[in-house]
Amino acid sequence: MIEWEIGERPVDYPLAVARMEARVAAIRAGDAAELVWLLEHPPIYTAGTSADGRDLLQPDRFPVYRSGRGGQFTYHGPGQRVAYVMLDLRRRGADVRAYVRQLEDWLIDTLAQFDVRGERRAGRVGVWVDRGQGREDKIAAIGVRVRHWVTYHGISLNVAPDLGHYAGIVPCGIGDRGATSLVDLGRPVDMAAVDTALRESFERIFASRRDERAA
């Protein structure tokens, strides 16, 4: 069984990382169930393992946290749904690349429930929206880490964040693209509706890879 938890208030990023690391160790040891943790953070910039310091344009705007996840700089803050996904890939095919693709499928399927067409882009991790006339904006980011085949970190989906906060970084190292959100696209949904959609989509996307080790 996969446990689901929804945070009632923003969680400081370092505390969230510490909790994830403890849970990953417990899952690895067989002492805890897999977990999907839905939450928000106070405003923060995080730098993944591929982050370029030149992409931090306003270092004093918000706290900056050097993270062990993959990827480059990104923003987290209120109005953004973060999903930290702690799964045992030994039960799901032990394929990290396929797992990242499933995360993309999960986001695309969730967005479709709000009549938003999310798309992949070759060479870019995450989910994008075509705004027309050659413009495309990023609506969801992915950054993962895997320890002993147990995943953590995960995805972030822009529901209704302050998009102006992205001005302090070059998001994901891509300077010629913007950021968008469900509200920015004219979909004023609340976080509870997004959480319901995420859970329904997760069941559709991840059910086929469950318990492969036991098969």
Side-chain angles (χ1 to χ4, degrees), residues 72-207:
Q72 303 183 51
F73 277 102
T74 194
Y75 164 77
H76 293 310
Q80 182 189 75
R81 178 49 90 211
V82 173
Y84 288 138
V85 185
M86 288 153 268
L87 300 179
D88 187 348
L89 290 188
R90 295 170 298 179
R91 301 172 58 186
R92 301 169 184 276
D95 187 333
V96 176
R97 187 170 298 178
Y99 169 65
V100 172
R101 188 170 181 86
Q102 283 184 296
L103 293 177
E104 292 175 334
D105 287 339
W106 180 26
L107 287 162
I108 290 168
D109 190 83
T110 298
L111 289 168
Q113 296 188 54
F114 302 106
D115 197 28
V116 171
R117 181 182 174 87
E119 300 177 341
R120 292 182 174 86
R121 290 292 181 266
R124 298 188 235 145
V125 176
V127 176
W128 301 78
V129 175
D130 186 344
R131 306 299 297 271
Q133 298 182 334
R135 175 186 170 188
E136 57 183 7
D137 292 338
K138 193 169 190 176
I139 194 169
I142 296 173
V144 302
R145 190 169 183 181
V146 180
R147 179 177 294 171
H148 301 299
W149 290 111
V150 181
T151 70
Y152 58 123
H153 295 278
I155 66 170
S156 60
L157 173 61
N158 288 342
V159 180
D162 184 340
L163 296 176
H165 291 173
Y166 281 92
I169 58 172
V170 178
C172 303
I174 302 171
D176 60 347
R177 301 290 188 274
T180 190
S181 67
L182 285 170
V183 167
D184 184 51
L185 294 170
R187 309 297 196 277
V189 299
D190 61 26
M191 201 65 81
V194 171
D195 291 344
T196 297
L198 282 167
R199 188 159 185 171
E200 291 175 354
S201 294
F202 185 94
E203 292 298 327
R204 283 193 290 272
I205 300 302
F206 284 87

Side-chain angles (χ1 to χ4, degrees), residues 46-69:
T46 68
T49 54
S50 302
D52 184 335
R54 294 171 296 182
D55 290 338
L56 181 59
L57 306 178
Q58 299 176 15
D60 299 325
R61 185 167 186 173
F62 296 125
V64 179
Y65 190 90
R66 299 283 171 176
S67 172
R69 61 162 175 80

